[in-house]
């Protein structure tokens, strides 16, 4: 089942359907936004085979400039997405809901700049490093049990691990 109520943390075992659901959404986004975007990538835990995840599809959209993000906002709203207020410079987030549950997040940012590179590097490192993936699964389960109703604390406590993985990934470049 896809979707989770806002603010909750509930992990599910990896589901092969997640990549199919991403593919469907990528097709929709590509067909509607093709003039505005450079790249669309499946990111987040649902993009990493074998990883436990909140059942929400995270999609990174790379654009050429912040001006394009402003233009893109209206287009994604027309597709049923709602802007999520976040405080990360250069990144805009949109959510799609179904029956009060978030099913998709769009992370719109400038292609190949730091935020983009970090999202892709984190995903690719965990895809290729089984030990790191197992370590992340254990951390996520511990934090999900500790913060089942507090996604902000859950996310904040993962930050040290994420930063460590990004450091390891950069050492491989």
């Amino acid at each position: 089942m896809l979707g989770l109520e806002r603010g909750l943390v509930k992990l599910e075992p990896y589901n092969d359907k997640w990549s199919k659901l991403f593919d469907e959404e990528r097709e929709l986004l590509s067909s509607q936004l093709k003039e505005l975007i450079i790249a669309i990538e499946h990111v987040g835990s649902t993009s990493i085979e074998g990883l436990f995840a909140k059942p929400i599809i995270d999609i990174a959209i790379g654009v050429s400039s912040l001006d394009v993000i402003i233009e893109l906002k209206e287009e994604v709203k027309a597709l049923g997405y709602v802007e999520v207020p976040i405080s990360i410079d250069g990144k805009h987030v949109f959510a799609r809901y179904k029956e009060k549950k978030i099913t998709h997040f769009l992370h719109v940012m400038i292609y190949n700049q730091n935020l983009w590179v970090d999202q892709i590097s984190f995903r690719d490192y965990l895809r290729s490093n089984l030990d790191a993936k197992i370590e992340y699964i254990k951390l996520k389960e511990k934090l999900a049990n500790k913060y089942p109703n507090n996604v902000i604390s859950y996310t904040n406590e993962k930050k040290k691990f994420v930063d460590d993985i990004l450091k390891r990934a950069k050492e491989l470049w």
Side-chain angles (χ1 to χ4, degrees):
M1 179 77 175
L2 190 64
L4 193 62
E5 288 180 37
R6 188 175 177 168
L8 297 184
V9 179
K10 180 180 174 238
L11 302 178
E12 294 185 7
Y14 181 80
N15 187 329
D16 290 332
K17 291 179 183 171
W18 291 338
S19 71
K20 291 179 182 80
L21 291 167
F22 163 74
D23 288 341
E24 290 171 10
E25 198 66 13
R26 179 182 55 206
E27 289 303 313
L28 172 69
L29 293 166
S30 294
S31 69
Q32 299 297 312
L33 308 172
K34 61 181 166 264
E35 306 300 320
L36 300 172
I37 58 177
I38 295 173
I40 300 177
E41 293 280 343
H42 190 184
V43 295
S45 294
T46 61
S47 71
I48 302 164
E49 191 173 333
L51 195 60
F52 281 53
K54 294 182 306 225
I56 299 172
I57 306 299
D58 285 287
I59 301 169
I61 294 183
V63 298
S64 60
S65 69
L66 290 175
D67 292 339
V68 173
I69 294 174
I70 293 164
E71 196 176 337
L72 186 130
K73 280 184 185 190
E74 294 309 312
E75 300 287 337
V76 296
K77 287 178 184 175
L79 295 172
Y81 283 90
V82 177
E83 190 163 9
V84 177
I86 59 157
S87 59
I88 300 173
D89 285 342
K91 181 176 177 180
H92 292 258
V93 177
F94 301 86
R96 180 187 283 160
Y97 291 82
K98 183 176 182 182
E99 299 166 8
K100 296 186 180 181
K101 292 182 177 183
I102 299 169
T103 59
H104 297 77
F105 277 122
L106 295 183
H107 305 267
V108 182
M109 63 203 93
I110 298 174
Y111 180 73
N112 265 352
Q113 288 203 341
N114 289 343
L115 292 172
W116 178 270
V117 171
D118 285 353
Q119 289 254 328
I120 304 307
S121 297
F122 183 78
R123 176 201 66 194
D124 290 352
Y125 190 89
L126 288 180
R127 281 180 172 174
S128 65
N129 188 305
L130 182 60
D131 290 341
K133 187 188 305 186
I134 291 168
E135 189 181 345
Y136 195 41
I137 289 169
K138 289 177 181 176
L139 175 64
K140 288 172 61 116
E141 287 178 324
K142 179 181 123 187
L143 295 176
N145 287 328
K146 186 175 180 182
Y147 301 113
N149 300 307
N150 189 339
V151 73
I152 293 170
S153 294
Y154 167 83
T155 302
N156 288 342
E157 285 209 29
K158 291 190 307 178
K159 185 174 179 357
K160 184 178 181 296
F161 178 86
V162 170
D163 290 345
D164 182 54
I165 293 297
L166 290 173
K167 183 179 174 206
R168 290 188 227 173
K170 287 175 181 160
E171 288 169 0
L172 296 175
W173 294 349

